[in-house]
Amino acid sequence: MTAPGPAPRMIRIPTNGIHLQAAVAGTGPLVLMVHGFPEGWYSWRHQIGPIAAAGFTACAIDVRGYGGSDKPPAVADYTLERITADVAGVVEALSPDGTAVLVGHDWGAPIVWNTALTRPDRVRAVAGLSVPWTGVPTVNFLDAVRAAFTAKGRFFYQVYFQDEGVAEAELEADVRGALRRFYYAISGDAPDGTWPKNKPHGAPLLEGLPDPDPFPAWLTKADEDHFVAAFEASGFRGPINRYRNHARDFAWQQQFRDRKITQPALFIGGERDLVLKMLPGVDPFALMAPHLPDLRGAHLLPGIGHWTQQEAPEAVNRLLLAWLRGL
């Protein structure tokens, strides 16, 4: 078992014109953890203590729009350009030498990959969970999925998220039920086909997703209560606005097309993660290699779905700590 380590303290950090809430524990070189959708700093609850106990300052933030962090109103407030600047500002605020190791999951992975790419002065190493780094995109992701799904009359959740207020209303009508159904459907515990493959375009997000009873053991009732309280307080507009910036993100990223992420890197994914199955027959690890010349590990965890560090905390901690100690 990984040592639990010290409990975190909650702080608010000024950065990039806003304030972010963060859970912080330990002393030493900074390891900054960035969550995905729909989560929060608490998704790193199993990593904060062990990383701190290993001799690091462990910090898990609420990304802008989430939890106790500020929630700017405009869609354009949630671009990768803004959020990577938030992350760089947190590093500046907390790290004596102005650098950090970044670890991100789900949307947090593109956030930390892009921070490493665009602010190498602030990032000494970077790890992504669930979402691999395959270089600066050559097409707008939303255009690609509209061609692959929408044009064929098929549902794709990121297309559904584009109309302001629609997904927010559906999720906020029953936050607990929405989180339970969404979390379960793309977890490693859900049988194949739980996430509907042939849902028609125009259907709501939660249609056809079961609410399991009992929920898999990796999310306890107390864990569930934490996430529910956070989203009942914050709503879903800020989190979903991240998905409404694909065009802005694509345009911003093009100036970095000739760069590679040269810092030491790590990837951890779940064998049953639907994110890694979006492109059938494509090896994401082979796609990563040309863009990460110092990739020191790429791991697939058997039986694990999308919620990598929550579903498999011991395995993730073992891999993360071994990588951190080798930096």
Side-chain angles (χ1 to χ4, degrees):
M1 292 287 289
T2 306
R9 65 189 187 279
M10 303 306 299
I11 63 173
R12 281 176 59 80
I13 304 167
T15 174
N16 193 30
I18 63 170
H19 286 77
L20 299 185
Q21 175 173 267
V24 182
T27 58
L30 179 63
V31 178
L32 177 57
M33 291 164 272
V34 184
H35 66 83
F37 174 88
E39 299 175 280
W41 75 263
Y42 190 75
S43 67
W44 301 103
R45 62 195 176 278
H46 301 300
Q47 285 70 49
I48 296 170
I51 289 173
F56 299 90
T57 297
C59 174
I61 62 171
D62 278 337
V63 172
R64 63 164 63 200
Y66 285 82
S69 291
D70 287 352
K71 302 164 185 65
V75 170
D77 289 325
Y78 294 85
T79 61
L80 272 176
E81 183 175 9
R82 296 274 181 97
I83 295 177
T84 56
D86 294 348
V87 171
V90 171
V91 176
E92 293 168 20
L94 296 187
S95 174
D97 72 357
T99 69
V101 177
L102 303 186
V103 183
H105 167 255
D106 182 77
W107 259 125
I111 291 168
V112 301
W113 293 128
N114 279 278
T115 308
L117 182 76
T118 63
R119 293 299 306 272
D121 57 317
R122 295 297 176 208
V123 183
R124 69 184 187 97
V126 58
L129 279 59
S130 176
V131 181
W133 176 248
T134 57
V136 173
T138 57
V139 297
N140 179 340
F141 177 78
L142 197 60
D143 290 343
V145 297
R146 280 178 166 149
F149 290 85
T150 314
K152 299 175 182 178
R154 295 173 59 199
F155 175 90
F156 192 81
Y157 72 104
Q158 296 198 30
V159 175
Y160 175 72
F161 284 169
Q162 296 309 303
D163 293 329
E164 292 182 53
V166 175
E168 290 95 326
E170 182 187 7
L171 295 170
E172 290 167 12
D174 176 11
V175 171
R176 187 177 299 273
L179 291 177
R180 285 173 58 89
R181 292 161 72 181
F182 192 81
Y183 287 164
Y184 177 71
I186 54 177
S187 73
D189 298 277
D192 290 344
T194 301
W195 186 269
K197 293 182 178 179
N198 296 307
K199 185 188 292 189
H201 175 65
L205 174 70
L206 300 175
E207 181 177 277
L209 303 185
D211 186 345
D213 185 16
F215 200 92
W218 58 265
L219 192 78
T220 67
K221 178 63 163 54
D223 297 335
E224 180 185 309
D225 288 346
H226 180 99
F227 286 120
V228 170
F231 282 103
E232 285 182 342
S234 71
F236 284 86
R237 176 174 169 81
I240 294 174
N241 278 344
R242 177 79 286 279
Y243 294 89
R244 295 173 177 146
N245 280 285
H246 283 298
R248 293 183 184 92
D249 293 345
F250 177 74
W252 173 68
Q253 289 173 303
Q254 298 314 298
Q255 65 188 296
F256 305 107
R257 177 169 298 284
D258 294 332
R259 290 191 189 180
K260 294 182 179 181
I261 294 174
T262 59
Q263 300 95 319
L266 175 72
F267 177 78
I268 305 172
E271 186 181 58
R272 303 196 67 232
D273 190 342
L274 293 185
V275 168
L276 297 177
K277 300 179 185 296
M278 283 185 183
L279 298 172
V282 175
D283 180 356
F285 303 140
L287 292 178
M288 293 171 69
H291 306 286
L292 295 169
D294 197 5
L295 180 62
R296 299 187 181 184
H299 307 273
L300 273 185
L301 304 179
I304 300 305
H306 180 64
W307 314 106
T308 324
Q309 76 274 22
Q310 295 193 74
E311 292 184 53
E314 290 293 329
V316 167
N317 290 354
R318 183 172 61 254
L319 293 168
L320 271 180
L321 291 172
W323 175 72
L324 287 169
R325 288 174 178 132
L327 294 175

